[in-house]
Amino acid sequence: MVASSHRATVLEPAASSASADVSPRRRSTRFRPRVLLVQSDKDARSSLALGLVSAGLEVLAAPSVEDILGELAPGCPLPHLVIAQVEPSGDGLDGFALCEKLRADARTEHLPVYLLSRHEEPHHRELADAVRADDYLLQPLPPEVVVSLARLKAGRSTSSPVYEAHTARLSLAQVVHALLCGTRAGRVELRDNEGWLSFRQGHLVDASFAGERGLTALRRLLFFGSGAYAVSFGDVPAEGKPLVNLKIYASLLLPAAERFSALCSLGIPLSARLMVDFKRLADMLKSLPDDLGQVIRLFDGQRTVHTAILECSLPEVTTLEAVTCLYAQGVLVPANLIAEREPPPLVIPPFFEPVLDPEEEEPFSEAFESTGPSQAA
C-alpha cells in the first residue's frame, strides 16, 4: 500500500506478504515498526524503501529532512527508526543536523538513527560520533544491510546496552555483514551455545566457537551457530591482526554461509546418521570424483553429518555439497534404512554350542592318547 503526504511517501507491507498475519483481526493489531527514510536520490530511496517494506516494516520515505519533520511533531506517533542521508537536499538540513535535533528532544532522544553518506569525508565519522548517531554507513549500500540493521534496532532504545535477536529471524551471516558496513565496534554472542565474535570498524577481529579460535571458529560460527544471540557495542581490544575485512567477508564468507544455509534447507539434517549403500556405490563408482572417497569413508552409521563435516579435510561447504550429492544419488542413505534392508546375523543358541573350544581339541586328543588302554590296564 502506498500513500503520499506532501513530498513524503508512506509504504506499508501488502496484506499478502510473508510478513503479514493471515488473520485480518490479528493483522490489524500487529506491531509494524515504522521507519523514517530520508534519501535525495530517487532510485536509492525506492530501493531501500522496498527492501524495508518487503521485510514487514512500514516506511515513510522522503527526499529531504524538511519533508519528515512534521512526523516528529508533538502529538504524532513517533517512528521506531530513522535513516537519513548526511548530504542536505538543497539548502535544507542535513542528516547530522537531524540527528542532533532528535537527540536534543526528550521525546526523540532514544530513537535509533543511522546516517548514510554518498561520499566519505574525513570529518564525517567525528560528526556522527558528536551527534550520537547509531552508525555511519557509506553508499551504495545493499538493501539487505539496511533491513538487517532495522530488524536489529527498530523499536529499541539507542541507549540499550544489548540488542537481542534470533537466527530464525535474522541470520548471523546477515547481521555480521551489516555490522561490518558501519564504523562501530562490538561483539556478537550466542546465547544457546558457546560462541562469539568481535568486530571493529569494518573488520572482524576475533572469534571463538566449539573449541576453535580465529578464522576456523568464525566460519563454523556462521555455518553452525543457531538460536538466540546478542549484539553489544563498545570498545574491542586492538591486539593482534584482524581476521577479515568487509571486502573479503562480502566476497567469500557471506556467499559461503548463504550456500551452506541453502544446502541445509534441502532436507538432510545435520544430526542425521548416514551409511554407505555399497551396492549403489559399486554402480556409481566410475562416475564419482576421486576426492569424494574421503567423504564416503567418514559415514559408518555412527557419525552424524555434522561430525563428518568437522572431521573432513575439505572445506565445510564443499563437504556438505558432496554429502548432498551422494545422498541424492543414493550412495549415502540413513543408517536405519540399511539396518532394515539387511537381515540380522544368525545367533546360535547356547545349548547348540560345542562343549569345547575348537582350539582345545588337538591338545585334548593328545592327552587322551597319552592315557590310552595300555595305561588303563
Side-chain angles (χ1 to χ4, degrees):
M1 177 179 175
V2 179
S4 296
S5 174
H6 302 290
R7 297 180 64 195
T9 302
V10 179
L11 298 94
E12 297 179 347
S16 59
S17 68
S19 59
D21 288 311
V22 175
S23 166
R25 180 179 178 182
R26 292 185 61 190
R27 186 163 60 243
S28 63
T29 60
R30 180 178 173 82
F31 171 71
R32 295 193 185 282
R34 194 181 201 202
V35 179
L36 295 190
L37 172 63
V38 179
Q39 172 62 251
S40 60
D41 183 87
K42 183 178 179 180
D43 292 338
R45 183 169 70 249
S46 176
S47 176
L48 293 177
L50 290 177
L52 291 166
V53 169
S54 298
L57 290 85
E58 180 183 321
V59 180
L60 187 144
S64 70
V65 171
E66 287 75 15
D67 293 322
I68 55 94
L69 288 179
E71 299 293 327
L72 301 169
C76 294
L78 291 176
H80 303 95
L81 177 70
V82 177
I83 302 172
Q85 176 184 301
V86 298
E87 291 86 2
S89 177
D91 298 327
L93 296 174
D94 61 18
F96 297 115
L98 173 62
C99 187
E100 186 175 27
K101 183 180 180 66
L102 293 173
R103 294 289 181 257
D105 189 336
R107 295 176 55 254
T108 58
E109 63 177 349
H110 65 282
L111 293 179
V113 179
Y114 285 103
L115 298 179
L116 310 180
S117 178
R118 290 176 292 182
H119 308 285
E120 184 176 19
E121 300 292 343
H123 61 285
H124 274 183
R125 295 189 182 188
E126 294 179 2
L127 284 174
D129 289 337
V131 298
R132 292 182 291 149
D134 285 66
D135 214 335
Y136 167 85
L137 306 101
L138 286 177
Q139 294 180 290
L141 199 65
E144 295 80 10
V145 168
V146 179
V147 169
S148 295
L149 294 174
R151 283 177 168 171
L152 182 66
K153 283 198 172 184
R156 303 173 186 179
S157 173
T158 189
S159 61
S160 176
V162 174
Y163 296 88
E164 301 280 352
H166 197 286
T167 54
R169 178 172 175 266
L170 180 57
S171 75
L172 284 173
Q174 291 173 335
V175 77
V176 170
H177 184 211
L179 294 171
L180 291 182
C181 288
T183 62
R184 296 298 183 226
R187 181 180 173 104
V188 179
E189 186 170 356
L190 283 176
R191 295 300 200 200
D192 297 342
N193 44 30
E194 294 185 6
W196 56 266
L197 61 83
S198 56
F199 59 93
R200 183 182 65 249
Q201 296 181 351
H203 291 79
L204 284 168
V205 179
D206 199 0
S208 174
F209 183 69
E212 298 287 349
R213 193 73 180 266
L215 190 55
T216 299
L218 173 59
R219 290 199 320 268
R220 293 182 177 177
L221 181 63
L222 296 174
F223 296 156
F224 301 112
S226 63
Y229 62 91
V231 179
S232 57
F233 296 90
D235 294 335
V236 171
E239 299 178 2
K241 185 179 180 180
L243 298 178
V244 294
N245 58 24
L246 171 61
K247 184 177 181 180
I248 294 176
Y249 182 87
S251 60
L252 296 177
L253 283 177
L254 179 60
E258 291 177 340
R259 176 60 176 162
F260 193 91
S261 177
L263 289 168
C264 289
S265 67
L266 293 179
I268 306 177
L270 295 179
S271 59
R273 300 179 190 275
L274 304 180
M275 283 190 69
V276 180
D277 185 330
F278 288 100
K279 184 178 183 302
R280 180 62 175 167
L281 175 60
D283 296 337
M284 299 291 298
L285 196 56
K286 292 183 179 180
S287 63
L288 296 177
D290 293 339
D291 57 356
L292 286 188
Q294 61 179 301
V295 178
I296 294 172
R297 283 193 293 269
L298 291 169
F299 289 95
D300 54 2
Q302 300 301 316
R303 289 182 179 88
T304 63
V305 174
H306 181 275
T307 302
I309 292 173
L310 298 183
E311 293 184 7
C312 188
S313 61
L314 297 174
E316 293 91 350
V317 178
T318 303
T319 303
L320 185 55
E321 285 177 338
V323 171
T324 305
C325 179
L326 292 169
Y327 186 85
Q329 293 175 333
V331 175
L332 293 179
V333 296
N336 60 343
L337 183 62
I338 291 290
E340 293 173 0
R341 185 185 303 169
E342 297 179 355
L346 179 63
V347 178
I348 303 176
F351 48 83
F352 283 123
E353 294 180 356
V355 175
L356 299 175
D357 192 308
E359 295 180 357
E360 298 180 0
E361 289 182 356
E362 185 63 24
F364 179 83
S365 198
E366 293 175 357
F368 180 80
E369 290 175 359
S370 65
T371 57
S374 58
Q375 293 184 13

